[in-house]
Amino acid sequence: MKLTQRERYNRQSLGVLYGRIKQSRILMVGAGGIGCELLKNLVLTGFGEVHIVDLDTIDLSNLNRQFLFRHEHIKKPKALVAKESAGRFNPQVKLEAHHANIKDPEFNIDWFAGFDLVFNALDNLDARRHVNKMCLAADVPLIESGTTGFNGQVQVIVKGKSECYDCNTKETPKSFPVCTIRSTPSQPIHCIVWAKSYLFTEVFGTSEDEVPEFDHSQDSENAAEIENLREEAQALKRIRQSMGSDDFSRNIFEKVFNDDINRLRSMQDMWKTRQPPTALDFDVVSKSSASGGEVGESVAKRDQVTWTLAENFTVFCDSIRRLSRRLQQAHANEPNGSTSAVFSFDKDDEDTLDFVAASANMRSIVFGIQPRSKFDIKQMAGNIIPAIATTNAMTAGLCVMQAFKVMRGDLHKAKNVFLERSGARVINSESLRPPNRACPVCGVLHSRLVIDPTKATLNDLVEDVLQSKLGYREFSINNEIGTLYDPDLDDNLPKKFTELGVKGDSFLTIIDDDETNPRVNLSLELPEDSKPISLPSEIEIPRKHAISTNNVLENGNGVVSPPTAPGKRKRTGSLEEPTIEGRQPIKRGKVQSGPEEDDVVLVDGANHGAIVIDD
């Protein structure tokens, strides 16, 4: 087949590696800032087949750097649009798009094992860890990448050869005690989380008592205060019934900036070591706002300056009117008079952002905290670190360059690469580090457990496999739900795996508690749709050799032995088998007393029953 001009250039640049690239199957997880640049590179380089997995849809804010998307693509799935746009660059590359969560059961270890290389282009810590674990279990190389503003990093992860993503501790997303958010804020972010995750959802959304920004672990220590906070939330729900009335803005304002603040001020013990809040008066602030003469929408457009109290009040009341009209219109369009329509915060929705910004700033003023500009609040409320298109492009290019080294087998030449604007050099690199033996993810032995979940019990695993076959003594069994077994917890032993809620394509972790010489953790994968009888791995059974003219058959061990047959066979003209040198003829009708030294003996396999371990 005639090569295109691009293929000729790629072959000249990459040499024999280009043939492997054309035959390769690649998985790319994430089609955002890095993903768009990376997919462009993969397609133009000529990788044979690329699968794209992304759960997100396209937002307006994506268009300044995710160049595969246009305005008409807003609200469409990123994976599908990226496939359509990138496919035009090189129609000879096969692209498959999956608008789905990479943690869905369909993306199991067998599915991951079907790829030659995986690229991570995610901004989600939990999803990154999941892909890292799945690639290790499937023994597929992973190129991990990420950017933060002007900084970027590319990490090469190969099982047993380099550090994995979890070999070093990662910073977890910040959560805040609910009492700090609702009663004693001390930072702008506390007020922003209050406005976004509490006030907005109670007034215009669905009440979210368990939002991720709220840490309820300390609730038991503040039971009385938590009960007061619940009463506040119920009062806001009652105020919500007045939506559309002239007093709606006043009712919300007086509730959260006057009544609730005065209640907090009355708790004198709370303010012994901190500055008490100052309640606001609706009429006083309204009069000050009216003297300014500006309307809310004109103030809201000045998003990079810090608004005064009067300006925040103007935007607060105006955003409530806009959101109320929209929500009432949504209710009117619902069938049978339903009122189930609600809003959720969207950093790209001006009405919701204006409400959160003005509410957060007025709460900051109440508690003596420095207000922030609308632009700053947008970054903080959306957990946004400004994305730089150039950083994404450089990171994506470095990903593909490291992938070349992995595919050539030149792992000793592969590097972990870092982009650092503040350093003496923009691009820095280091050699791959060996795996961390104490890592809970890659410092384990991966294997497969084939079970019939409707018949096999936890006791079958404990006694028949872990104790009898593997020699474990003191150990525990854990999964994502928690501890299933340890020496002090044996209630689950008679239960079937289905009764324990153990699902297919999940993992069981065996932890050796031997104090003297413990083994590494054993991670067992449970395949989806397991059958009562299955082979954990493929085995090749050779064909029987045809009988030679001398009626002599060579067996699988390279030893010549007389032919036998399991069933009846018609007698030939002789009553004796052919004679083999050094061995007496065997008469038919007699039973051989035992196998000779060189005979092939078939021994019944020891691995039988419902549970088998595949290493």
Side-chain angles (χ1 to χ4, degrees), residues 59-241:
D59 288 327
L60 177 64
S61 61
N62 301 147
L63 303 186
N64 70 334
R65 62 195 181 279
Q66 298 175 20
F67 71 96
L68 294 181
F69 310 140
R70 297 290 181 267
H71 194 277
E72 62 268 21
H73 297 143
I74 291 175
K75 300 303 180 184
K76 292 183 179 180
K78 287 185 176 181
L80 302 181
V81 176
K83 171 192 172 181
E84 177 186 350
S85 300
R88 301 191 187 102
F89 299 161
N90 188 353
Q92 294 183 334
V93 174
K94 181 181 179 181
L95 297 177
E96 293 289 342
H98 308 269
H99 177 53
N101 190 335
I102 192 61
K103 298 178 69 175
D104 288 345
E106 63 181 295
F107 305 124
N108 55 24
I109 290 180
D110 290 334
W111 188 78
F112 270 85
F115 296 99
D116 299 296
L117 192 62
V118 177
F119 290 90
N120 244 0
L122 292 162
D123 59 0
N124 180 289
L125 184 64
D126 184 55
R128 280 174 160 174
R129 285 176 165 164
H130 176 78
V131 174
N132 175 64
K133 181 173 71 172
M134 297 297 281
C135 287
L136 291 171
D139 198 8
V140 178
L142 169 65
I143 309 295
E144 163 66 38
S145 62
T147 60
T148 304
F150 288 100
N151 298 330
Q153 58 87 22
V154 175
Q155 181 182 4
V156 178
I157 300 172
V158 179
K159 181 179 179 179
K161 303 292 181 62
S162 66
E163 282 185 334
C164 79
Y165 186 73
D166 281 310
C167 277
N168 297 306
T169 304
K170 302 295 188 297
E171 182 181 354
T172 56
K174 180 67 175 174
S175 63
F176 305 96
V178 66
C179 284
T180 299
I181 298 299
R182 299 278 292 277
S183 302
T184 57
S186 59
Q187 302 174 27
I189 187 62
H190 295 161
C191 299
I192 294 169
V193 170
W194 172 85
K196 168 192 168 184
S197 299
Y198 166 65
L199 184 60
F200 179 82
T201 56
E202 294 293 349
V203 177
F204 297 108
T206 302
S207 178
E208 298 184 7
D209 294 330
E210 300 294 335
V211 293
E213 292 91 343
F214 289 177
D215 179 5
H216 290 264
S217 61
Q218 301 178 18
D219 287 2
S220 59
E221 303 173 8
N222 305 278
E225 177 61 13
I226 293 297
E227 185 58 34
N228 288 330
L229 297 179
R230 289 198 176 98
E231 291 178 4
E232 289 181 3
Q234 292 300 320
L236 276 175
K237 290 178 182 177
R238 291 190 292 270
I239 291 174
R240 184 171 177 166
Q241 303 304 315

Side-chain angles (χ1 to χ4, degrees), residues 65 147-151 378-380 382-388:
R65 62 195 181 279
T147 60
T148 304
F150 288 100
N151 298 330
K378 180 178 180 179
Q379 311 305 307
M380 299 169 76
N383 298 318
I384 301 170
I385 297 173
I388 310 299

